[in-house]
């Protein structure tokens, strides 16, 4: 069955226009969770391969699951493709299948041109050898001849900015230097297609910016990309089309903006399923103290109605329902808001003590309200970490992560935050 | 169908063996393409190996030298009773050990090559022949150093050599070919199942005693039969005879085993190539 579809396909591809640089047709790939069984299957598959018999690759055997199922994607010359999906959705498997590292189990992949894969930077670096020696080894692994390496060596050096250190052993390099050198090696192999797997998450902000600038330049020169990333910004900036994978299936494929918002919506859904718990299970939280429990967190509008989502620029109250068992004096509420895609940096950090507020919570169920005249956050999904504590170092109760969504209002395109504003025109009185 | 244009790559689940001509062309092409890479990796490995060590290449000759010294001691004290050898025993056993170890290194070559390049194999696509060539280069490098030591020993013991010594590299290369062929044929099992690589250690130890490394071909008919069944025997004995006496005792079996080894090498290469994608899937 598979054979047939491959043959049909190759006839088809002649008719397709010549610009298609990667053509993925009905590709599936299965894996086995049990290691021992995987080895036994491996031996059987190798035997089938050697004797040329069918290995029945289109059916699952016991203990196997589809890591990719019937994925079909076309990428044209100069186009860039983004791959998103939660962990384990098959992004890396797809990337490895495209790069030819592993064989597809059904379907076919047709590729025109030279591929370079940035799956791990500096694969094959020997820490004992100098940077120079490693550049030569690394680039010949990527398929360049000595003359070609000689030609691009200076550019690699300039990009990686390791001029002085090039003759020192790579072991003495910082991780950033190593990443830069690895990235430069791959970039200067002049590939037609570049596969990038979240490698740009390493390195400092300056290096990342530099990489993206370089990638943009390459894109303008006609290089195609397949980019796997969790950062929506990276994909939005580089890719025209995006494929959203979930459990090995293509959920959606199309313009990056649309796919991205669908993905983020789904992320929130996953969140709210368990998210109901985030508010409900708090009372069972054993970490809380005897004096005060946080019961739930919710948003309200200025009329007191509960809000499911916030909207940029609209007013909102953050309400913390809690139950005090005795008078709590000098409570401090700390709130840290983070972007769901970037849990390292906080976007907002609000602290009642720094706001010069002394909160006194009388016994009984209380609601602490934080008024936000304008929600300044841009559209997206965020998490709140919230704590009620007193000086020094005593935490009454803590909510590790509460997820919420901020929706788009019409005038929030290309903005990083909402700026409250008003317009007017005043006549300038010119003195004579 | 399937005229894949130049510069175009096609990946399908079909077995490559179904189109043998294309497969052989690819194999040849990859072997050719991997020369430069293999050379670079070899230099990288050798440099990396010796950059951290003060004694450097001395380590290549310590194991055979110790084995030879031990066996000589055992023979001199009478613990071991070995028949008459053509040349002084220390030189004899040293030469034998060096040849045996070269065979052993060749046997383990594919497994070591795959194990040491795991991260590379899992992340980059490159001609996989390169890592085997690299390992073979390393074996040749080690052999040359060890032979230099053997020559020194020959000079000390004033051993005379035959003119046929210039032919001995052929026998040594056949020894390496045999080892590599067996190693490549076993690639699917040794790299997938841990038990096999453990078992190999035991098997090679027994194999050592069934090969006339430390003793000449025995007269005892049963032992003689077993030793002669051993494919390593004719290659190792011939290599030794070419260096020392120049009189060949088993030319026919030498030729026979050499041809088998060569066929085995091509078959092993084929299996290695076909098995690699499945191995990579599982080692990463």
């Amino acid at each position: 069955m598979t054979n047939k579809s491959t043959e049909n396909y190759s006839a088809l591809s002649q008719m397709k226009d010549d610009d298609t640089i990667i053509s993925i047709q009905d590709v599936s790939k299965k894996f086995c969770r049990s290691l021992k069984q995987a080895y036994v299957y491996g031996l059987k598959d190798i035997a089938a391969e050697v004797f040329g018999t069918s290995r029945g690759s289109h059916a699952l055997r016991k203990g196997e699951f589809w890591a990719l199922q019937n994925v079909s994607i076309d990428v044209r010359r100069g186009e860039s493709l983004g791959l998103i999906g939660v962990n384990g959705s098959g992004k890396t498997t797809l990337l490895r299948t495209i790069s030819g590292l592993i064989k597809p189990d059904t379907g076919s992949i047709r590729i025109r041109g030279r591929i370079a894969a940035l799956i791990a930077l500096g694969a094959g670096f020997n820490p004992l050898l100098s940077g120079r020696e490693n550049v030569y080894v690394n680039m010949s692994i990527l398929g360049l001849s000595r003359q070609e390496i000689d030609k691009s060596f200076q550019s690699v050096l300039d990009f990686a900015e390791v001029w002085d250190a090039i003759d020192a052993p790579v072991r003495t390099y910082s991780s950033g230097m190593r990443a830069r050198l690895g990235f430069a090696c791959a970039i200067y192999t002049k590939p037609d297609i570049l596969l990038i797997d979240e490698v740009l998450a390493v390195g400092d902000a300056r290096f990342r910016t530099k990489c993206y600038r370089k990638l943009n330049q390459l894109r303008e020169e006609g290089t195609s990309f397949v980019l796997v990333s969790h950062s929506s910004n990276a994909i939005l900036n580089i890719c025209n089309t995006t494929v959203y994978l979930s459990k090995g299936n293509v959920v959606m494929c199309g313009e990056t903006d649309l796919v991205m918002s669908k993905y983020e919506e789904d992320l929130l859904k996953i969140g709210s399923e368990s998210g109901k718990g985030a508010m409900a299970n708090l009372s069972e939280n054993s970490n809380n103290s005897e004096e005060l429990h946080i019961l739930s967190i919710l948003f309200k509008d200025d009329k007191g109605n509960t809000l499911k989502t916030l909207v940029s620029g609209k007013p909102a109250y953050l309400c913390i329902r809690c139950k005090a068992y005795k008078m709590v004096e000098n409570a401090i509420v700390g709130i840290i808001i983070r972007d769901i895609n970037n849990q390292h940096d906080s976007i907002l950090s609000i602290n009642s003590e720094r706001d010069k507020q002394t909160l006194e919570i009388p016994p009984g169920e209380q609601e602490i309200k934080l008024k936000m005249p304008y929600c300044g956050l841009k559209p997206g999904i965020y998490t709140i970490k919230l704590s009620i504590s007193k000086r020094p170092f005593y935490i009454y109760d803590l909510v590790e992560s509460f997820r919420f969504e901020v929706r788009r209002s019409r005038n929030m395109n290309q903005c990083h935050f909402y700026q409250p504003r008003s317009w007017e025109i005043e006549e300038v009185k010119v003195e004579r | 169908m399937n005229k894949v244009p130049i510069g175009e790559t096609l990946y399908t689940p079909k077995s490559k063996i179904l189109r043998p001509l294309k497969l052989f062309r690819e194999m040849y092409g990859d072997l050719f393409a991997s020369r430069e890479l293999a050379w670079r990796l070899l230099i990288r490995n050798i440099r990396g190996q010796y950059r951290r060590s003060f004694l450097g290449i001395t380590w290549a000759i310590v194991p055979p030298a110790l084995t030879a010294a031990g066996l000589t001691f055992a023979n001199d004290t009478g613990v071991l009773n070995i028949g008459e050898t053509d040349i002084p025993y220390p030189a004899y056993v040293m030469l034998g050990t060096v040849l045996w170890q070269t065979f052993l290194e060749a046997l383990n070559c594919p497994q070591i090559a795959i194990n040491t390049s795991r991260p590379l194999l899992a992340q980059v696509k490159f001609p996989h022949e390169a890592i085997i060539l690299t390992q073979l280069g390393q074996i040749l490098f080690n052999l040359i150093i060890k032979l230099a030591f053997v020559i020194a020993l020959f000079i000390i013991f004033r051993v005379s050599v035959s003119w046929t010594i210039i032919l001995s590299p052929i026998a040594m290369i056949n020894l390496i070919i045999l080892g590599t062929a067996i190693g490549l044929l076993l690639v699917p099992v040794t790299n997938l199942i841990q038990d096999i690589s453990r078992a190999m250690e035991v098997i090679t130890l027994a194999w050592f005693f069934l090969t006339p490394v430390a003793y000449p071909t025995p007269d005892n008919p049963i032992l003689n039969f077993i030793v002669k069944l051993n494919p390593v025997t004719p290659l190792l004995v011939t290599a030794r005879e070419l260096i020392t006496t120049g009189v060949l005792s088993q030319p026919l079996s030498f030729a026979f085993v050499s041809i088998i080894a060569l066929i085995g090498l091509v078959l092993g290469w084929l299996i290695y190539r076909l098995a690699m994608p499945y191995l990579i899937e599982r080692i990463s």
Side-chain angles (χ1 to χ4, degrees), chain A residues 316-328:
Chain A
Y317 288 87
L318 171 66
C319 305
I320 308 153
R321 290 237 173 102
C322 55
K323 187 168 187 177
Y325 295 94
K326 58 185 203 185
M327 188 71 180
V328 175

Side-chain angles (χ1 to χ4, degrees), chain A residues 49-118:
Chain A
E49 178 91 15
V50 169
F51 295 112
T53 54
S54 160
R55 59 191 165 97
S57 58
H58 52 273
L60 286 185
R61 291 169 289 194
K62 191 171 166 265
E64 287 184 321
F65 66 99
W66 291 112
L68 283 179
Q69 202 168 15
N70 299 333
V71 174
S72 300
I73 303 168
D74 280 325
V75 181
R76 304 163 110 211
R77 192 172 297 280
E79 224 179 42
S80 298
L81 182 77
L83 291 178
I84 52 166
V86 294
N87 289 337
S89 55
K91 295 167 298 191
T92 304
T93 307
L94 183 57
L95 219 55
R96 283 157 58 87
T97 319
I98 296 174
S99 66
L101 284 170
I102 51 182
K103 275 181 87 144
D105 278 329
T106 69
S108 68
I109 298 177
R110 190 176 284 262
I111 284 147
R112 286 206 192 122
R114 193 210 294 256
I115 278 199
L118 285 177

Side-chain angles (χ1 to χ4, degrees), chain A residues 3 7 29 38 49-50 55 96 99 101 103-104 107-113 123-124 129 133 140 146, chain B residues 1 7-11 13-17 36 40 44 47-48 51 121-123 125 278 281-282 284:
Chain A
N3 293 357
E7 273 169 59
K29 180 80 209 162
E49 178 91 15
V50 169
R55 59 191 165 97
R96 283 157 58 87
S99 66
L101 284 170
K103 275 181 87 144
S108 68
I109 298 177
R110 190 176 284 262
I111 284 147
R112 286 206 192 122
L129 298 187
E133 287 164 319
S140 36
R146 195 196 156 79
Chain B
M1 74 161 234
E8 203 174 294
T9 331
L10 180 69
Y11 301 119
K14 274 199 285 183
S15 171
K16 295 209 160 163
I17 201 127
E36 198 173 310
R40 245 179 218 300
R44 176 194 76 165
R47 274 192 191 156
R51 197 157 284 184
L121 288 168
Q123 286 152 0
K125 184 162 162 62
Y278 298 95
E281 217 172 89
R282 281 162 181 87
S284 50

Side-chain angles (χ1 to χ4, degrees), chain A residues 69 102 120 177 222 259 272 317 350 373 388:
Chain A
Q69 202 168 15
I102 51 182
M177 283 160 88
V259 177
S272 65
Y317 288 87
I350 299 170
I388 303 181

Side-chain angles (χ1 to χ4, degrees), chain A residues 25-64:
Chain A
Q25 286 285 319
D26 276 331
V27 164
S28 304
K29 180 80 209 162
K30 57 189 179 181
F31 283 132
C32 181
R33 283 218 172 81
S34 147
L35 264 186
K36 272 193 182 152
Q37 207 148 36
Y39 291 146
V40 175
Y41 289 153
L43 277 180
K44 282 186 185 163
D45 286 349
I46 292 170
E49 178 91 15
V50 169
F51 295 112
T53 54
S54 160
R55 59 191 165 97
S57 58
H58 52 273
L60 286 185
R61 291 169 289 194
K62 191 171 166 265
E64 287 184 321

